[in-house]
Amino acid sequence: MPKQKFYAIKTPEESKIVMTWAECEKLTHGVKGVLFKSFASRAEAEAWISGMEAPVPTGLRVFVDGSFSPDFPKSGWAFVVTENDVEIARGSGITAFDAESRNIDGEVMASYQAMRWLDLNDKTGTICHDYEGIARWAKGEWQAKSNIAKRYVAAAKPYLHRVSFEKVAAHTGVKWNELVDQLAKDAIARAKKK
């Protein structure tokens, strides 16, 4: 059974905590200036809303992201492994094939590479992603229709016993998510120079 999450939402007018991603998405999608973030406890969500520093999540967490540039055919990908909020490993690069779904190709490659890192190091951890398909496809909650989704589902299958998933909001100041976003962009920039 999935763990209960608490979604904290801040707007200039009000703050609120909701219990489902669907409700959070309904209240935040397309709203300018809204900030939102998921938490494992109501206390963490309330601390974030009040501006207090929330407790640092413990354990092994792997942040993943992808990037795409219209003037380059491939996607960039990156992951950063943290343990108790300290970076212990990272990886980045570009996809082997031209992107068929823009940055989504990079997102799934980052998740796959993160799973491989966990397996090679005999670890389990939480994949922290900002693209919802990362978890939904891997767990079979979304049907994989595109080629990239089908390849990701097949590639991820042997590693699913090592991971759980956590959705993080993109571009909301989560330091590790911001870092992997930049690393994925940097991977494209490096590849353009070759």
Side-chain angles (χ1 to χ4, degrees), residues 96-138:
F97 303 101
D98 289 356
E100 72 176 52
S101 296
R102 300 175 59 92
N103 65 307
I104 292 172
D105 293 59
E107 304 268 357
V108 299
M109 179 56 80
S111 181
Y112 167 71
Q113 293 291 347
M115 290 180 202
R116 282 191 59 225
W117 185 93
L118 289 167
D119 191 59
L120 289 169
N121 291 279
D122 196 24
K123 306 255 187 210
T124 59
T126 301
I127 302 278
C128 301
H129 55 92
D130 59 18
Y131 174 62
E132 193 171 358
I134 293 300
R136 299 282 189 167
W137 281 325

Side-chain angles (χ1 to χ4, degrees), residues 115-189:
M115 290 180 202
R116 282 191 59 225
W117 185 93
L118 289 167
D119 191 59
L120 289 169
N121 291 279
D122 196 24
K123 306 255 187 210
T124 59
T126 301
I127 302 278
C128 301
H129 55 92
D130 59 18
Y131 174 62
E132 193 171 358
I134 293 300
R136 299 282 189 167
W137 281 325
K139 296 191 296 187
E141 295 172 355
W142 283 1
Q143 184 179 0
K145 295 179 182 175
S146 67
N147 289 330
I148 189 65
K150 289 175 185 174
R151 286 195 301 267
Y152 171 61
V153 167
K157 197 170 197 165
Y159 305 113
L160 292 179
H161 67 287
R162 295 203 173 272
V163 299
S164 59
F165 296 92
E166 179 181 325
K167 173 104 171 55
V168 295
H171 311 294
T172 57
V174 176
K175 69 179 177 181
W176 300 114
N177 197 55
E178 298 295 333
L179 175 59
V180 289
D181 179 58
Q182 188 58 54
L183 292 173
K185 289 176 180 163
D186 292 347
I188 291 174

Side-chain angles (χ1 to χ4, degrees), residues 21-29 31:
W21 169 244
E23 191 175 2
C24 179
E25 188 175 36
K26 182 179 172 186
L27 295 170
T28 60
H29 184 73
V31 178

